[in-house]
């Protein structure tokens, strides 16, 4: 067949899927420990949600969304990130009226029309968490601690936590004026790329995110946001840092880290992996005190993060960290000959009713091939059934690790769980 999967998407074959299942199990465990409840929101949403929520000036909305018109002429977008959907659901179900604060998490696919490369896909997966309803610096600390704990639970050790404060709108406005002035200076302006020209108009802070070499050069001399923070912003950022110190989380302040989304206010943070190349950002997040209002909700300060599952998995692989033990099969049934194969369904049925994971050979192959399969499947014991065994009314039970053999009755009614505890 000539039909192939779309560029930038992936198939997960059983071995990889088992790793993902284990990954998700650990994420859920940590989320539960921190008191976060799961929320599942749709993969497609009205385009307007992201245009307003993620922000018109972001690269995501400008050039990376999978947007299409449905049969009713509505503009639909495959979600490029989770936060706007969580906020929409928060408002749609009036969660804020039920409880003053909410801790929510999600796991699922996101879609961005980016140029696929190592660590960058068009359908990728994120888990993320949102803490809605408080602007307390301790909430930021709780969220950062959660992000860090999920990565630790997955086995990662060498990580760098970068934090910054991009301030309140007042600070941003003051900074924007100076930054625009700097960028529009003749010598600087000439060296900036077309995207940065656009950013200078719509959201100048975004130039700090540009990856074009010349722009990086220009931006190196630009005024940074730290000089423009209000006293309240400074106090908030100070308390976040005190909180991080109190739980022993090492961090670095990076005044140039602004993150690629429009809605952030005050704290932004990123967790990077060491030694995996340019796509080393595992997790990004920050405070978004105004997003709920932007989406027509009541004033509701919040903080959140999202982590990229594929990135984390390749970091684990680069560090030789195994996530899942190969699944263990309790019993493999080697059926040798037509009479044995005929009994296979009933035998497997009985084993499963006793609570075992059980499988067998349906192909009527030779003993050697079947034993090879039992080994490959990581079986604990094998039952060998040939014409001899059927005649004797006794099957052979073989322990796979040391090939020790015993006999068990052929009458499956006599089997109990004990029969197979060799
Ligand atoms: P963002 O939602 O852009 O703040 O990204 C949060 C995290 O998602 C990043 O740190 C990456 O780990 C991951 N991520 C973002 N975009 C992609 C992509 N195209 N492919 C794979 N992972 C991604």
């Amino acid at each position: 067949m000539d039909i192939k999967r779309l560029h930038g998407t992936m198939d997960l074959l059983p071995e990889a899927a088992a790793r993902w299942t284990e990954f998700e199990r650990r994420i859920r465990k940590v989320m539960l420990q921190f008191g976060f409840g799961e929320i599942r929101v749709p993969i497609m949403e009205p385009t307007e949600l992201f245009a307003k929520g993620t922000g018109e000036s972001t690269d995501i909305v400008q050039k990376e969304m999978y947007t299409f018109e449905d049969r009713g002429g509505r503009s639909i977008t495959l979600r490029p990130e989770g936060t706007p959907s969580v906020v929409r659901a928060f408002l749609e179900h009036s969660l804020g009226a039920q409880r003053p604060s909410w801790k929510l998490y999600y796991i699922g696919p996101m879609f961005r029309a980016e140029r696929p490369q190592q660590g960058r896909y068009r359908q990728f997966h994120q888990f993320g968490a949102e803490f809605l309803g408080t602007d307390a610096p301790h909430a930021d600390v709780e969220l950062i601690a959660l992000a860090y704990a999920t990565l630790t639970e997955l086995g990662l050790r060498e990580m760098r936590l970068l934090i910054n404060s991009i301030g309140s709108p007042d600070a941003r406005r003051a900074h924007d004026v100076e930054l625009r002035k700097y960028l529009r200076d003749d010598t600087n302006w000439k060296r900036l790329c077309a995207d940065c020209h656009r950013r200078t108009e719509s959201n100048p802070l975004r130039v700090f995110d540009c990856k074009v070499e010349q722009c990086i050069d220009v931006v190196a001399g630009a005024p940074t946001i730290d000089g423009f923070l209000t006293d309240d912003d400074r106090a908030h950022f100070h308390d976040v840092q005190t909180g991080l110190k109190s739980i022993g989380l090492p961090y670095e302040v990076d005044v140039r880290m602004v993150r690629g989304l429009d809605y952030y206010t005050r704290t932004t943070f990123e967790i990077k992996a060491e030694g995996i190349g340019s796509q080393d950002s595992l997790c990004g997040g920050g405070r978004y005190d105004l997003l709920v209002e932007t989406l027509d909700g009541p004033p509701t300060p919040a903080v959140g993060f999202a982590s990229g599952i594929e990135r984390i998995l390749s970091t684990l692989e680069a560090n030789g960290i195994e996530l899942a033990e190969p699944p263990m099969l309790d019993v493999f049934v080697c059926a040798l000959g037509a009479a044995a194969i005929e009994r296979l369904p009933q035998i497997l049925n009985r084993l499963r009713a006793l609570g075992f994971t059980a499988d067998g050979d349906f192909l009527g192959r030779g003993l050697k091939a079947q034993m090879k399969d039992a080994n490959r499947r990581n079986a604990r014991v094998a039952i060998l059934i040939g014409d001899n065994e059927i005649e004797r009314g006794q099957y052979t039970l073989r322990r796979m690790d040391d090939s020790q053999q015993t006999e068990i009755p052929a009458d499956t009614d006599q089997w109990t769980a004990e029969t197979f505890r060799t």
Side-chain angles (χ1 to χ4, degrees):
M1 189 178 68
D2 234 16
I3 304 173
K4 299 281 192 289
R5 67 181 195 269
L6 294 172
H7 219 43
T9 68
M10 269 203 286
D11 296 313
L12 294 179
L13 303 182
E15 212 176 286
R19 238 183 337 264
W20 280 63
T21 304
E22 174 61 13
F23 187 109
E24 290 173 12
R25 189 190 65 75
R26 294 196 201 183
I27 297 307
R28 292 196 156 86
K29 180 181 146 193
V30 179
M31 293 292 179
L32 195 66
Q33 270 184 328
F34 277 71
F36 281 69
E38 185 174 8
I39 181 163
R40 300 194 188 200
V41 287
I43 281 166
M44 54 183 185
E45 297 272 13
T47 301
E48 198 193 350
L49 176 64
F50 304 109
K52 272 179 94 173
T54 307
E56 292 281 8
S57 81
T58 58
D59 282 356
I60 293 179
V61 172
Q62 291 272 332
K63 48 189 187 189
E64 293 173 0
M65 293 209 297
Y66 282 98
T67 297
F68 60 95
E69 204 170 272
D70 74 1
R71 286 165 200 277
R74 286 165 291 254
S75 180
I76 309 284
T77 291
L78 299 183
R79 63 178 187 197
E81 57 145 345
T83 306
S85 302
V86 173
V87 172
R88 182 204 42 71
F90 174 85
L91 291 174
E92 196 161 336
H93 301 276
S94 308
L95 296 187
Q98 296 172 31
R99 267 199 260 139
S101 85
W102 284 80
K103 288 173 153 185
L104 300 168
Y105 81 91
Y106 58 84
I107 307 181
M110 306 293 160
F111 305 84
R112 296 185 196 171
E114 303 193 82
R115 189 172 63 78
Q117 52 185 293
Q118 178 65 31
R120 202 168 269 288
Y121 309 98
R122 289 183 173 166
Q123 174 175 339
F124 62 102
H125 298 74
Q126 288 184 335
F127 65 89
E130 317 289 351
F131 190 172
L132 296 129
T134 166
D135 64 1
H138 299 312
D140 307 39
V141 175
E142 172 88 338
L143 234 276
I144 296 172
L146 169 64
Y148 209 88
T150 53
L151 298 174
T152 305
E153 176 71 22
L154 293 165
L156 286 177
R157 294 295 174 264
E158 310 280 305
M159 295 180 274
R160 284 173 67 205
L161 166 62
L162 306 177
I163 63 169
N164 189 21
S165 174
I166 60 167
S168 53
D170 281 349
R172 289 277 292 282
R173 265 191 294 273
H175 178 239
D176 279 0
V177 171
E178 291 306 311
L179 184 55
R180 280 204 181 98
K181 223 185 270 173
Y182 172 85
L183 296 170
R184 285 188 182 138
D185 174 271
D186 251 5
T187 38
N188 293 332
W189 188 252
K190 272 192 279 192
R191 302 179 65 201
L192 292 174
C193 71
D195 274 342
C196 280
H197 286 158
R198 177 175 56 75
R199 291 171 180 133
T200 304
E201 305 307 320
S202 58
N203 187 351
L205 198 62
R206 187 88 331 105
V207 299
F208 284 94
D209 261 349
C210 191
K211 304 285 183 285
V212 177
E213 199 109 346
Q214 286 231 55
C215 298
I216 293 174
D217 267 4
V218 172
V219 169
T224 49
I225 184 77
D226 52 322
F228 297 81
L229 298 182
T230 64
D231 288 348
D232 283 352
D233 293 338
R234 257 179 241 288
H236 192 276
F237 195 36
H238 176 267
D239 289 351
V240 171
Q241 295 185 54
T242 307
L244 291 174
K245 283 181 196 138
S246 79
I247 56 170
L249 260 192
Y251 64 86
E252 299 158 46
V253 175
D254 177 356
V255 294
R256 290 168 184 284
M257 200 240 328
V258 298
R259 310 279 317 135
L261 301 166
D262 268 0
Y263 49 63
Y264 286 128
T265 46
R266 294 194 165 163
T267 315
T268 54
F269 71 95
E270 202 162 302
I271 301 177
K272 293 188 176 211
E274 296 285 359
I276 59 153
S278 63
Q279 305 299 323
D280 61 351
S281 169
L282 301 181
C283 166
R287 179 158 278 292
Y288 52 93
D289 288 342
L290 301 172
L291 178 60
V292 181
E293 280 169 84
T294 303
L295 294 173
D296 306 321
T300 312
V303 55
F305 75 83
S307 296
I309 298 186
E310 288 84 355
R311 293 265 179 95
I312 298 172
L313 280 168
S314 52
T315 308
L316 289 173
E317 202 176 321
N319 286 288
I321 302 167
E322 267 295 328
L323 257 193
E325 293 288 311
M328 191 95 182
L329 191 64
D330 292 319
V331 188
F332 189 89
V333 184
C334 298
L336 304 155
I341 291 176
E342 206 167 293
R343 294 181 178 203
L344 197 51
Q346 192 272 327
I347 290 172
L348 289 173
N349 199 41
R350 176 73 184 139
L351 287 167
R352 291 165 188 157
L354 287 168
F356 294 117
T357 53
D359 204 351
D361 187 280
F362 291 82
L363 307 177
R365 294 180 297 172
L367 179 63
K368 211 166 143 194
Q370 294 200 32
M371 287 307 293
K372 211 168 141 186
D373 222 15
N375 265 318
R376 192 178 56 78
R377 301 286 299 281
N378 214 7
R380 193 171 56 76
V381 296
I383 304 176
L384 313 185
I385 310 173
D387 292 342
N388 259 336
E389 278 84 0
I390 290 173
E391 215 163 277
R392 285 208 315 276
Q394 296 274 312
Y395 298 156
T396 302
L397 184 70
R398 184 201 295 233
R399 210 154 61 189
M400 292 302 292
D401 56 0
D402 60 2
S403 304
Q404 274 263 353
Q405 298 197 161
T406 48
E407 305 250 285
I408 59 170
D411 176 7
T412 58
D413 285 342
Q414 293 181 40
W415 293 357
T416 66
E418 265 327 293
T419 315
F420 301 90
R421 264 194 228 333
T422 60

